[in-house]
């Protein structure tokens, strides 16, 4: 079997390796996918990413395939149903923030034409390629994630602190934090 050098945070867990190899750091310009990552990252706040990855398909089912137009219109009955769903993170504030974030997401689309246009303007439309030698060099936040977080909050988004925003930037390829010897570094 072929051995690949990967970023060390994902090594040894199949679902983590697959996510790392196929998604993490790959630039995402599609609004639907950007919203999916936004929802998953907001639910991840205070938890490990592996927890979210393991529940990702449950989230997909519970949140109507991350359809922000549907989520924005969730009635109280749907929120109560989600609070009873053991397949997701049953945090009332996070569930309610998914609804308010869907509404804010659509307002950004109205203003900018797409969420992608809005979010990628912060990096001039292209990934920031960091040259990390090791995992120790990867920050939890940056001045850019601070600025994006502040702007998102001003627009009504919730659970979008700088750490969540930086994780979103990494997941959606706005920043490339694959370490230099990672086999995917050359693909980005």
């Amino acid at each position: 079997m072929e051995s690949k050098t990967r970023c060390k945070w994902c090594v040894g867990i199949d679902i983590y390796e697959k996510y790392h190899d196929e998604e993490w750091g790959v630039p995402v310009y599609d609004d639907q996918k950007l919203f999916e990552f936004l929802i998953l990252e907001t639910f991840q706040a205070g938890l490990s990413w592996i927890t979210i990855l393991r529940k990702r398909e449950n989230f997909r089912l519970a949140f109507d395939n991350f359809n922000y137009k549907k989520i924005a219109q969730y009635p109280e009955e749907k929120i109560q149903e989600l609070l009873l769903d053991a397949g997701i993170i049953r945090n009332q504030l996070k569930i309610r923030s998914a609804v308010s974030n869907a509404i804010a997401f659509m307002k950004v689309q109205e203003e900018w034409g797409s969420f992608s246009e809005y979010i990628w303007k912060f990096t001039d439309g292209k990934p920031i390629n960091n040259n990390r030698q090791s995992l120790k060099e990867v920050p939890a936040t940056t001045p850019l994630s601070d600025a994006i977080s502040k702007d998102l909050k001003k627009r009504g988004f919730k659970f979008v602190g700088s750490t969540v925003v930086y994780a979103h930037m990494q997941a959606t390829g706005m920043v490339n934090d694959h370490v230099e010897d990672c086999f995917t570094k050359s693909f980005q």
Side-chain angles (χ1 to χ4, degrees):
M1 188 163 110
E2 180 185 348
S3 177
K4 297 176 180 174
T5 302
R6 294 180 170 92
C7 297
K8 294 197 182 338
W9 61 263
C10 72
V11 176
I13 302 173
D14 289 343
I15 193 171
Y16 243 179
E17 288 181 0
K18 181 176 173 34
Y19 170 71
H20 168 273
D21 295 357
E22 298 174 8
E23 293 185 84
W24 193 72
V26 176
V28 175
Y29 296 93
D30 175 73
D31 273 13
Q32 184 64 45
K33 197 72 171 169
L34 287 165
F35 184 74
E36 175 180 343
F37 276 115
L38 181 67
I39 292 299
L40 294 174
E41 293 293 351
T42 59
F43 272 90
Q44 187 263 329
L47 303 169
S48 67
W49 184 242
I50 191 68
T51 300
I52 301 304
L53 275 182
R54 288 181 174 142
K55 293 179 176 278
R56 188 178 192 178
E57 291 311 310
N58 297 336
F59 274 102
R60 188 179 311 286
L61 290 171
F63 284 93
D64 292 296
N65 205 30
F66 302 106
N67 182 326
Y68 49 87
K69 291 177 182 173
K70 281 187 178 180
I71 295 168
Q73 297 178 6
Y74 278 178
E76 185 61 30
E77 297 80 37
K78 175 66 174 182
I79 291 169
Q80 292 305 314
E81 177 186 312
L82 290 168
L83 286 168
L84 298 173
D85 188 339
I88 65 169
I89 306 302
R90 295 178 289 179
N91 178 300
Q92 184 166 191
L93 293 176
K94 290 179 180 181
I95 290 170
R96 290 186 185 281
S97 79
V99 176
S100 60
N101 286 350
I103 294 166
F105 189 87
M106 290 191 301
K107 286 181 182 172
V108 167
Q109 286 179 317
E110 287 174 22
E111 181 181 347
W112 288 85
S114 72
F115 186 82
S116 180
E117 283 293 321
Y118 159 76
I119 201 73
W120 279 94
K121 79 174 172 75
F122 289 98
T123 64
D124 294 325
K126 54 189 182 291
I128 297 169
N129 284 303
N130 294 315
N131 297 308
R132 311 289 187 201
Q133 298 303 311
S134 73
L135 188 56
K136 292 177 195 164
E137 294 178 17
V138 179
T141 65
T142 64
L144 181 56
S145 67
D146 294 345
I148 296 171
S149 170
K150 184 177 178 183
D151 197 70
L152 286 168
K153 288 176 183 176
K154 184 177 77 177
R155 294 171 182 279
F157 287 85
K158 296 181 178 9
F159 282 94
V160 289
S162 190
T163 302
V164 167
V165 169
Y166 195 70
H168 187 262
M169 293 170 70
Q170 291 172 310
T172 62
M174 291 177 68
V175 293
N176 181 351
D177 274 344
H178 286 280
V179 294
E180 285 298 311
D181 64 348
C182 178
F183 86 95
T184 65
K185 182 70 174 179
S186 62
F187 299 151
Q188 308 302 317

